[in-house]
Amino acid sequence: GIRHTMSDGSVATYELRELKDRLCKLHGIKSNKDVLENKTKLFRRVVHLMVAGVDVSELFSAMVLAAAPDEPALKKLLYLYLCTYAKTHPDLALMTVNTLTVDCANEDPTIRRSALRSLCSIATQDLADYLVQPLQAGMRDRSALVRSVAVIGTWKLHRIQPELVEQTGLLEQVQTILQEETDPQVLTNAMAVVGKLDENHGMHNQAFVYALLNRLSEFSVWGMCTALQVIAKYQPSSEAEMFDIMNILEEPLASVNSAVLLAAAKVVLCITKNLPHVHHQVLQRIKTPLLTIATGGPPAAQYIALCHVYQLCVLQPVLLNQDFTRLFCRDTDPTYIKLKKMTVLVAIADEQNVYDIVSELNAYILDTKHVVAVAAVTAIGQIALRNFNATGIVERLLEYIVEGRNHVVSAAVVCVREVFRKYPGAVAGCTEELKSLDCHALDTVEAQAAGLWIMGEYSEHFDAVVDVLESYVEQLDHNLDPRLKCELLITTLKLFFTRIHHSTAAYYSASSKGPLTTQTPS
């Protein structure tokens, strides 16, 4: 039997020699069950050694000769071996291309498909010319399996040498397939390739779109999504035509597959965008299935659905103002789902639901993951900017400054700064909470800069503001962040005009050691 122990080079060399001898002995032997089983075992052993990092390139000829032309299983193992060494051994690349080109004309369509796919996978600038003839023949092949691979192979060749695809007419062949193909998978590949390679393609005309609509049920899930992407760019010429298309899309809109449902929803939204009353009805129609995916599907599908929901809510904030509770975070939600849900909650907050949404966001601040807690505080701050008159929102932010953990306090200070910038009168009644602000305790540069801004803007409420500024001035020679330096200079300048007797020393120290003499990064 073949040795499995390779503790040193001599054993490896012996095993390779033994493999080569056994492969050569199998060359020319009439194939039967036992011979095929023996060949398969040898081929798998060679591939195993190759994957393990052993150089088995010396078996190249023996492998090619041992694989009979009518054994698809062996051919797949052979192609894996050939393609691996064709990429790392230029001297073997041309022999690999010759072997694969011959197999592209094999009687078995499975072998033709595998050979063409492998040939496309090793395509380089030097070997690109060898792909043209097999691809041209592949797109005329009687087997849909081969035509499907040939169409994708055209796109791979275009990535290497775009001018070669145009000069040899390969793109025109794909466009011909687009108009004449009957196999759904080949047609799907052709739509994908033409959509990427030809900006002036004719896929958005009425005849082609109607043909796709009539054949939607024949496509796979990916094919249906590709077809729907093409249909979404077509604009009906009349309301009657628009409603006909919407009737056909009733089945995809009821699909259990989230990708198909979202693609169909995109179509009906695009074709109704010029009719607001119909567009609103469509939004109401797709709202329920979208929320079902966004709250109950796999996490990846949930995230995509939430992105769609967010875009719809930006356009029509009232769309989900009665269904906001379905978007509350659950303990089992991944972090990225929680963050996206909070973004949607901010978008749909209004005077009727703002209190419930802020109360829910307030609960997330206790989350053990800092990123979730910070995002919750930021969301409350964004709602405060949009709904400032809502009861208790600003007070909640100030409570976080007094009682919150460091990361929560930092996020709250940034939010309070933005609120005070938009609503300067909001500082009234907040002086007691602001007195507890300690800039040095904040754990982000942005939060410390925000704290300095608040102190400079409302210095009359901070007894120790000059002491705080002087403590920062003392750090100017110790690589203080440029953003803090800029904010420090601005704050000291404000105090220079409001408390000139107390802040003169701090101002002159900051202006002489601060950003004016430090080159900030671009």
Side-chain angles (χ1 to χ4, degrees):
I2 299 174
R3 287 177 171 80
H4 294 275
T5 302
M6 301 189 60
S7 57
D8 54 56
S10 60
V11 177
T13 303
Y14 178 81
E15 181 168 7
L16 291 179
R17 189 182 307 115
E18 186 177 356
L19 281 170
K20 187 173 183 178
D21 292 341
R22 296 184 64 177
L23 287 169
C24 291
K25 290 178 181 178
L26 292 173
H27 174 52
I29 297 179
K30 185 176 180 180
S31 182
N32 55 48
K33 184 178 180 180
D34 293 335
V35 172
L36 180 60
E37 184 179 346
N38 196 10
K39 285 184 178 181
T40 303
K41 185 183 298 183
L42 291 172
F43 274 49
R44 286 178 176 171
R45 180 57 182 165
V46 172
V47 171
H48 174 75
L49 294 175
M50 178 183 70
V51 173
V54 179
D55 184 3
V56 291
S57 58
E58 64 179 81
L59 303 178
F60 190 92
S61 299
M63 290 281 287
V64 173
L65 293 174
D70 57 347
E71 297 169 349
L74 286 183
K75 287 290 186 181
K76 289 183 179 180
L77 292 171
L78 174 66
Y79 296 157
L80 174 60
Y81 170 84
L82 295 180
C83 292
T84 300
Y85 282 109
K87 296 174 183 177
T88 58
H89 293 64
D91 54 316
L92 300 178
L94 191 56
M95 288 189 288
T96 299
V97 169
N98 292 336
T99 301
L100 294 173
T101 302
V102 171
D103 284 347
C104 283
N106 194 284
E107 293 182 359
D108 190 332
T110 304
I111 293 179
R112 294 201 302 273
R113 177 188 62 176
S114 299
L116 185 57
R117 178 183 293 157
S118 300
L119 186 61
C120 293
S121 71
I122 63 170
T124 61
Q125 288 283 350
D126 298 332
L127 302 176
D129 291 334
Y130 295 98
L131 266 69
V132 176
Q133 192 277 328
L135 287 175
Q136 290 175 335
M139 281 188 277
R140 297 190 299 267
D141 198 280
R142 60 185 181 274
S143 171
L145 296 174
V146 182
R147 295 198 302 273
S148 179
V149 172
V151 169
I152 295 297
T154 301
W155 175 67
K156 291 183 178 180
L157 180 59
H158 187 275
R159 294 176 61 187
I160 302 169
Q161 285 195 14
E163 64 280 357
L164 188 60
V165 173
E166 298 173 3
Q167 294 169 1
T168 55
L170 285 170
L171 184 56
E172 286 76 8
Q173 277 189 272
V174 177
Q175 291 171 330
T176 301
I177 287 177
L178 198 63
Q179 302 299 328
E180 301 176 356
E181 184 57 55
T182 58
D183 184 81
Q185 184 58 52
V186 181
L187 181 58
T188 298
N189 290 358
M191 286 190 290
V193 171
V194 172
K196 289 181 178 293
L197 304 187
D198 185 8
E199 296 180 355
N200 301 316
H201 55 72
M203 291 195 293
H204 302 149
N205 60 73
Q206 187 183 68
F208 186 72
V209 168
Y210 277 30
L212 290 180
L213 287 168
N214 292 328
R215 298 185 59 186
L216 272 180
S217 59
E218 301 176 18
F219 289 104
S220 63
V221 169
W222 180 67
M224 192 176 295
C225 292
T226 304
L228 289 170
Q229 288 177 1
V230 173
I231 297 169
K233 297 180 181 180
Y234 173 73
Q235 279 301 317
S237 57
S238 65
E239 286 192 29
E241 184 181 8
M242 178 191 70
F243 284 115
D244 287 341
I245 294 175
M246 291 173 63
N247 289 334
I248 295 174
L249 294 179
E250 277 297 319
E251 184 176 347
L253 282 172
S255 174
V256 296
N257 185 279
S258 57
V260 173
L261 189 152
L262 293 174
K266 179 181 178 180
V267 175
V268 294
L269 289 174
C270 288
I271 65 177
T272 61
K273 62 184 178 182
N274 296 324
L275 296 172
H277 63 288
V278 180
H279 195 71
H280 180 73
Q281 293 176 6
V282 169
L283 287 173
Q284 294 295 329
R285 164 70 173 78
I286 67 175
K287 177 178 70 173
T288 301
L290 263 181
L291 284 175
T292 300
I293 300 173
T295 58
Q302 282 189 52
Y303 184 81
I304 298 299
L306 286 169
C307 291
H308 284 72
V309 169
Y310 174 73
Q311 292 298 329
L312 295 178
C313 290
V314 169
L315 296 175
Q316 292 200 13
V318 299
L319 180 64
L320 297 177
N321 59 355
Q322 301 299 321
D323 301 282
F324 64 92
T325 56
R326 297 185 62 181
L327 294 168
F328 286 172
C329 299
R330 294 171 294 192
D331 293 338
T332 55
D333 285 336
T335 299
Y336 64 93
I337 297 292
K338 291 181 179 179
L339 299 181
K340 198 64 186 179
K341 283 185 175 180
M342 284 188 270
T343 304
V344 178
L345 289 173
V346 172
I348 63 179
D350 59 20
E351 293 182 358
Q352 283 72 40
N353 59 28
V354 63
Y355 180 79
D356 293 327
I357 290 178
V358 170
S359 297
E360 181 68 16
L361 291 172
N362 184 63
Y364 305 155
I365 293 173
L366 301 176
D367 197 288
T368 55
K369 294 186 178 178
H370 289 189
V371 65
V372 175
V374 169
V377 175
T378 303
I380 293 175
Q382 292 171 344
I383 292 175
L385 292 173
R386 293 178 49 219
N387 305 276
F388 176 68
N389 293 326
T391 305
I393 297 181
V394 176
E395 287 77 3
R396 286 183 187 272
L397 291 173
L398 295 171
E399 288 175 6
Y400 303 149
I401 295 177
V402 177
E403 302 176 359
R405 294 165 290 174
N406 280 351
H407 59 283
V408 173
V409 173
S410 298
V413 169
V414 174
C415 293
V416 168
R417 177 191 62 183
E418 299 305 316
V419 172
F420 287 172
R421 277 178 171 171
K422 187 172 183 178
Y423 306 104
V427 72
C430 303
T431 55
E432 291 301 320
E433 290 84 354
L434 290 176
K435 288 180 180 179
S436 65
L437 179 60
D438 182 5
C439 289
H440 290 291
L442 303 177
D443 56 6
T444 67
V445 172
E446 180 67 18
Q448 292 185 43
L452 289 175
W453 182 91
I454 294 173
M455 287 184 172
E457 196 71 16
Y458 305 101
S459 59
E460 65 274 14
H461 300 297
F462 296 93
D463 298 331
V465 62
V466 176
D467 296 334
V468 173
L469 293 179
E470 289 178 347
S471 66
Y472 273 103
V473 169
E474 293 174 358
Q475 301 178 44
L476 284 176
D477 294 329
H478 300 284
N479 298 321
L480 194 66
D481 189 279
R483 289 172 290 176
L484 276 178
K485 290 182 180 181
C486 291
E487 196 61 60
L488 180 60
L489 180 59
I490 294 170
T491 302
T492 53
L493 184 60
K494 290 177 182 177
L495 263 66
F496 180 75
F497 291 107
T498 58
R499 294 188 181 185
I500 189 168
H501 297 295
H502 299 86
S503 60
T504 302
Y507 168 70
Y508 281 116
S509 180
S511 60
S512 63
K513 298 165 61 178
L516 295 178
T517 59
T518 304
Q519 186 175 8
T520 58
S522 57

